[in-house]
């Protein structure tokens, strides 16, 4: 028997096995579609760097056994999430991967989003939205780990073999958004800072603003208070969990 997980604050869900199934996007009333498009156009005018690319939303999350989660996923585009600004409409929860990148002495890397992003100034873990598979490919645990490794390389300049990333916990928070959090092998602080600096410089040389504009290494939830600006809702619970596992 399956049990639908109730949304309560930020859930941290233990997972040893993740089952994935593709589902169809729910039909949308024409009035809601028009209001969504207007909301999206307004958002783009406010931030022209936004783009309506393909992305994966969460169609449902169920616990089917001890540490076994079944996740249904839906192909949408970023425009879909403008439904959150439409009164009475319902947007699917977003689905993203992120990575706990520790140092050898037990600190966790937090990163700040650049001003041009959809969440300017927000402190979070390195990561990003899940992208749908290309034709002929499948979205499975291996593909998700590959996307998490790619985010580390693009945002922090850290090359990690996907097989070295362990799916550590699943989070569910604001708007029901689901995060697949991976644990990376520990690296020295000097290595992390040098890689981030080089990756940011390469982006600027190419004429692009880096997605992240700062990093910090924190040992406990209390140290997050010193990071000025908004924080991702999952950040404090994840740092607390990691500190408690040491």
């Amino acid at each position: 028997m399956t049990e639908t997980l109730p949304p309560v604050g930020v859930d941290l869900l233990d997972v040893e096995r993740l089952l994935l199934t593709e589902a169809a996007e729910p039909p949308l009333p024409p009035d809601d579609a028009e209001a969504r498009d207007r909301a999206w156009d307004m958002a783009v005018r406010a931030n022209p760097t936004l783009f309506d690319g393909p992305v994966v939303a969460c169609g449902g999350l169920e616990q089917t056994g001890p540490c076994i989660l079944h996740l249904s996923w839906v192909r949408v585009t970023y425009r879909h999430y403008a439904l959150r600004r439409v009164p009475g409409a319902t947007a699917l929860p977003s689905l993203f991967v992120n990575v706990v990148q520790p140092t050898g002495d037990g600190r966790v890397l937090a990163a700040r989003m650049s001003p041009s992003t959809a969440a300017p100034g927000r402190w979070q873990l390195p990561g990003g939205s899940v992208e749908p598979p290309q034709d002929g490919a499948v979205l499975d645990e291996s593909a998700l780990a590959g996307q998490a490794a790619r985010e580390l390389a693009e945002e922090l300049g850290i090359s990690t073999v996907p097989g070295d990333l362990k799916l550590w916990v699943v989070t569910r928070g604001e708007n029901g958004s689901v995060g697949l959090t991976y644990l990376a092998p520990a690296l020295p602080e000097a290595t992390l800072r040098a890689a981030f600096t080089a990756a940011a410089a390469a982006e600027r040389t190419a004429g692009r603003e880096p997605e992240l504009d700062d990093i910090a290494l924190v040992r406990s939830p209390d140290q997050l208070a010193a990071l000025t600006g908004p924080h991702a809702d999952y950040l404090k619970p994840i740092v607390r969990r990691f500190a408690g596992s040491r």
Side-chain angles (χ1 to χ4, degrees), residues 47-67:
N47 183 356
T49 64
L50 297 178
F51 71 103
D52 193 23
V55 69
V56 167
C58 177
L61 185 65
E62 295 180 326
Q63 184 172 339
T64 59
C67 298

PDB file of all heavy atoms in Angstrom, residues 47-67:
ATOM      1  N   ASN A  47      13.091  40.690 -15.845  1.00  0.00           N
ATOM      2  CA  ASN A  47      14.393  40.021 -15.849  1.00  0.00           C
ATOM      3  C   ASN A  47      14.581  39.324 -17.188  1.00  0.00           C
ATOM      4  O   ASN A  47      14.210  38.163 -17.365  1.00  0.00           O
ATOM      5  CB  ASN A  47      14.482  39.008 -14.705  1.00  0.00           C
ATOM      6  CG  ASN A  47      15.852  38.342 -14.615  1.00  0.00           C
ATOM      7  OD1 ASN A  47      16.728  38.581 -15.451  1.00  0.00           O
ATOM      8  ND2 ASN A  47      16.045  37.505 -13.614  1.00  0.00           N
ATOM      9  N   PRO A  48      15.150  40.030 -18.184  1.00  0.00           N
ATOM     10  CA  PRO A  48      15.277  39.467 -19.534  1.00  0.00           C
ATOM     11  C   PRO A  48      16.147  38.222 -19.633  1.00  0.00           C
ATOM     12  O   PRO A  48      16.146  37.562 -20.673  1.00  0.00           O
ATOM     13  CB  PRO A  48      15.905  40.628 -20.330  1.00  0.00           C
ATOM     14  CG  PRO A  48      15.563  41.862 -19.557  1.00  0.00           C
ATOM     15  CD  PRO A  48      15.585  41.436 -18.119  1.00  0.00           C
ATOM     16  N   THR A  49      16.886  37.877 -18.578  1.00  0.00           N
ATOM     17  CA  THR A  49      17.716  36.668 -18.644  1.00  0.00           C
ATOM     18  C   THR A  49      16.897  35.394 -18.465  1.00  0.00           C
ATOM     19  O   THR A  49      17.404  34.302 -18.705  1.00  0.00           O
ATOM     20  CB  THR A  49      18.821  36.706 -17.569  1.00  0.00           C
ATOM     21  OG1 THR A  49      18.227  36.700 -16.264  1.00  0.00           O
ATOM     22  CG2 THR A  49      19.695  37.949 -17.734  1.00  0.00           C
ATOM     23  N   LEU A  50      15.645  35.516 -18.029  1.00  0.00           N
ATOM     24  CA  LEU A  50      14.803  34.336 -17.883  1.00  0.00           C
ATOM     25  C   LEU A  50      14.525  33.727 -19.250  1.00  0.00           C
ATOM     26  O   LEU A  50      14.383  34.434 -20.248  1.00  0.00           O
ATOM     27  CB  LEU A  50      13.477  34.706 -17.214  1.00  0.00           C
ATOM     28  CG  LEU A  50      13.550  35.260 -15.786  1.00  0.00           C
ATOM     29  CD1 LEU A  50      12.153  35.627 -15.293  1.00  0.00           C
ATOM     30  CD2 LEU A  50      14.207  34.272 -14.849  1.00  0.00           C
ATOM     31  N   PHE A  51      14.456  32.390 -19.317  1.00  0.00           N
ATOM     32  CA  PHE A  51      14.160  31.734 -20.584  1.00  0.00           C
ATOM     33  C   PHE A  51      13.191  30.584 -20.345  1.00  0.00           C
ATOM     34  O   PHE A  51      13.157  29.989 -19.262  1.00  0.00           O
ATOM     35  CB  PHE A  51      15.437  31.226 -21.254  1.00  0.00           C
ATOM     36  CG  PHE A  51      16.061  30.032 -20.563  1.00  0.00           C
ATOM     37  CD1 PHE A  51      15.908  28.763 -21.084  1.00  0.00           C
ATOM     38  CD2 PHE A  51      16.804  30.192 -19.391  1.00  0.00           C
ATOM     39  CE1 PHE A  51      16.484  27.665 -20.446  1.00  0.00           C
ATOM     40  CE2 PHE A  51      17.384  29.101 -18.752  1.00  0.00           C
ATOM     41  CZ  PHE A  51      17.221  27.837 -19.287  1.00  0.00           C
ATOM     42  N   ASP A  52      12.406  30.302 -21.361  1.00  0.00           N
ATOM     43  CA  ASP A  52      11.339  29.312 -21.232  1.00  0.00           C
ATOM     44  C   ASP A  52      11.808  27.949 -21.720  1.00  0.00           C
ATOM     45  O   ASP A  52      11.220  27.353 -22.623  1.00  0.00           O
ATOM     46  CB  ASP A  52      10.106  29.782 -22.005  1.00  0.00           C
ATOM     47  CG  ASP A  52       8.863  28.972 -21.667  1.00  0.00           C
ATOM     48  OD1 ASP A  52       8.837  28.376 -20.575  1.00  0.00           O
ATOM     49  OD2 ASP A  52       7.931  28.949 -22.492  1.00  0.00           O
ATOM     50  N   GLY A  53      12.881  27.456 -21.122  1.00  0.00           N
ATOM     51  CA  GLY A  53      13.443  26.180 -21.537  1.00  0.00           C
ATOM     52  C   GLY A  53      12.730  24.994 -20.911  1.00  0.00           C
ATOM     53  O   GLY A  53      11.936  25.128 -19.981  1.00  0.00           O
ATOM     54  N   PRO A  54      13.006  23.787 -21.420  1.00  0.00           N
ATOM     55  CA  PRO A  54      12.389  22.577 -20.872  1.00  0.00           C
ATOM     56  C   PRO A  54      12.898  22.267 -19.472  1.00  0.00           C
ATOM     57  O   PRO A  54      14.072  22.470 -19.162  1.00  0.00           O
ATOM     58  CB  PRO A  54      12.799  21.492 -21.867  1.00  0.00           C
ATOM     59  CG  PRO A  54      14.070  21.999 -22.471  1.00  0.00           C
ATOM     60  CD  PRO A  54      13.922  23.497 -22.535  1.00  0.00           C
ATOM     61  N   VAL A  55      12.004  21.772 -18.653  1.00  0.00           N
ATOM     62  CA  VAL A  55      12.346  21.479 -17.275  1.00  0.00           C
ATOM     63  C   VAL A  55      11.412  20.382 -16.788  1.00  0.00           C
ATOM     64  O   VAL A  55      10.376  20.098 -17.417  1.00  0.00           O
ATOM     65  CB  VAL A  55      12.234  22.758 -16.405  1.00  0.00           C
ATOM     66  CG1 VAL A  55      10.780  23.193 -16.252  1.00  0.00           C
ATOM     67  CG2 VAL A  55      12.914  22.596 -15.067  1.00  0.00           C
ATOM     68  N   VAL A  56      11.764  19.763 -15.680  1.00  0.00           N
ATOM     69  CA  VAL A  56      10.964  18.683 -15.116  1.00  0.00           C
ATOM     70  C   VAL A  56      10.283  19.169 -13.840  1.00  0.00           C
ATOM     71  O   VAL A  56      10.916  19.771 -12.978  1.00  0.00           O
ATOM     72  CB  VAL A  56      11.840  17.451 -14.802  1.00  0.00           C
ATOM     73  CG1 VAL A  56      11.105  16.451 -13.924  1.00  0.00           C
ATOM     74  CG2 VAL A  56      12.294  16.783 -16.098  1.00  0.00           C
ATOM     75  N   ALA A  57       8.983  18.909 -13.742  1.00  0.00           N
ATOM     76  CA  ALA A  57       8.228  19.193 -12.527  1.00  0.00           C
ATOM     77  C   ALA A  57       7.908  17.879 -11.825  1.00  0.00           C
ATOM     78  O   ALA A  57       8.004  16.795 -12.405  1.00  0.00           O
ATOM     79  CB  ALA A  57       6.937  19.941 -12.856  1.00  0.00           C
ATOM     80  N   CYS A  58       7.515  17.988 -10.566  1.00  0.00           N
ATOM     81  CA  CYS A  58       7.144  16.806  -9.783  1.00  0.00           C
ATOM     82  C   CYS A  58       5.644  16.579  -9.901  1.00  0.00           C
ATOM     83  O   CYS A  58       4.841  17.437  -9.540  1.00  0.00           O
ATOM     84  CB  CYS A  58       7.541  17.004  -8.326  1.00  0.00           C
ATOM     85  SG  CYS A  58       7.044  15.630  -7.247  1.00  0.00           S
ATOM     86  N   GLY A  59       5.269  15.415 -10.403  1.00  0.00           N
ATOM     87  CA  GLY A  59       3.853  15.072 -10.503  1.00  0.00           C
ATOM     88  C   GLY A  59       3.302  14.421  -9.259  1.00  0.00           C
ATOM     89  O   GLY A  59       2.086  14.393  -9.049  1.00  0.00           O
ATOM     90  N   GLY A  60       4.155  13.898  -8.413  1.00  0.00           N
ATOM     91  CA  GLY A  60       3.725  13.250  -7.187  1.00  0.00           C
ATOM     92  C   GLY A  60       4.892  12.576  -6.501  1.00  0.00           C
ATOM     93  O   GLY A  60       5.882  12.210  -7.144  1.00  0.00           O
ATOM     94  N   LEU A  61       4.791  12.431  -5.182  1.00  0.00           N
ATOM     95  CA  LEU A  61       5.844  11.786  -4.393  1.00  0.00           C
ATOM     96  C   LEU A  61       5.179  10.891  -3.372  1.00  0.00           C
ATOM     97  O   LEU A  61       4.358  11.349  -2.570  1.00  0.00           O
ATOM     98  CB  LEU A  61       6.718  12.835  -3.697  1.00  0.00           C
ATOM     99  CG  LEU A  61       7.932  12.321  -2.929  1.00  0.00           C
ATOM    100  CD1 LEU A  61       8.937  11.674  -3.882  1.00  0.00           C
ATOM    101  CD2 LEU A  61       8.597  13.454  -2.156  1.00  0.00           C
ATOM    102  N   GLU A  62       5.520   9.613  -3.415  1.00  0.00           N
ATOM    103  CA  GLU A  62       4.923   8.639  -2.513  1.00  0.00           C
ATOM    104  C   GLU A  62       6.000   7.781  -1.873  1.00  0.00           C
ATOM    105  O   GLU A  62       7.033   7.497  -2.497  1.00  0.00           O
ATOM    106  CB  GLU A  62       3.950   7.725  -3.258  1.00  0.00           C
ATOM    107  CG  GLU A  62       2.726   8.421  -3.817  1.00  0.00           C
ATOM    108  CD  GLU A  62       1.820   7.445  -4.539  1.00  0.00           C
ATOM    109  OE1 GLU A  62       2.349   6.498  -5.156  1.00  0.00           O
ATOM    110  OE2 GLU A  62       0.598   7.630  -4.482  1.00  0.00           O
ATOM    111  N   GLN A  63       5.750   7.369  -0.649  1.00  0.00           N
ATOM    112  CA  GLN A  63       6.616   6.394   0.018  1.00  0.00           C
ATOM    113  C   GLN A  63       6.003   5.027  -0.168  1.00  0.00           C
ATOM    114  O   GLN A  63       4.862   4.786   0.223  1.00  0.00           O
ATOM    115  CB  GLN A  63       6.744   6.726   1.501  1.00  0.00           C
ATOM    116  CG  GLN A  63       7.698   5.806   2.244  1.00  0.00           C
ATOM    117  CD  GLN A  63       7.959   6.272   3.659  1.00  0.00           C
ATOM    118  OE1 GLN A  63       7.756   7.439   3.971  1.00  0.00           O
ATOM    119  NE2 GLN A  63       8.382   5.364   4.513  1.00  0.00           N
ATOM    120  N   THR A  64       6.753   4.133  -0.811  1.00  0.00           N
ATOM    121  CA  THR A  64       6.223   2.804  -1.114  1.00  0.00           C
ATOM    122  C   THR A  64       6.859   1.720  -0.265  1.00  0.00           C
ATOM    123  O   THR A  64       6.529   0.542  -0.415  1.00  0.00           O
ATOM    124  CB  THR A  64       6.436   2.478  -2.604  1.00  0.00           C
ATOM    125  OG1 THR A  64       7.832   2.528  -2.901  1.00  0.00           O
ATOM    126  CG2 THR A  64       5.692   3.473  -3.480  1.00  0.00           C
ATOM    127  N   GLY A  65       7.762   2.091   0.602  1.00  0.00           N
ATOM    128  CA  GLY A  65       8.421   1.144   1.490  1.00  0.00           C
ATOM    129  C   GLY A  65       9.451   1.872   2.320  1.00  0.00           C
ATOM    130  O   GLY A  65       9.675   3.070   2.127  1.00  0.00           O
ATOM    131  N   PRO A  66      10.093   1.198   3.265  1.00  0.00           N
ATOM    132  CA  PRO A  66      11.122   1.851   4.070  1.00  0.00           C
ATOM    133  C   PRO A  66      12.247   2.413   3.194  1.00  0.00           C
ATOM    134  O   PRO A  66      12.920   1.662   2.487  1.00  0.00           O
ATOM    135  CB  PRO A  66      11.627   0.720   4.988  1.00  0.00           C
ATOM    136  CG  PRO A  66      10.501  -0.270   5.017  1.00  0.00           C
ATOM    137  CD  PRO A  66       9.877  -0.207   3.660  1.00  0.00           C
ATOM    138  N   CYS A  67      12.388   3.730   3.201  1.00  0.00           N
ATOM    139  CA  CYS A  67      13.438   4.418   2.439  1.00  0.00           C
ATOM    140  C   CYS A  67      13.313   4.209   0.934  1.00  0.00           C
ATOM    141  O   CYS A  67      14.294   4.338   0.189  1.00  0.00           O
ATOM    142  CB  CYS A  67      14.831   3.993   2.909  1.00  0.00           C
ATOM    143  SG  CYS A  67      15.167   4.415   4.626  1.00  0.00           S
TER     144      CYS A  67
END
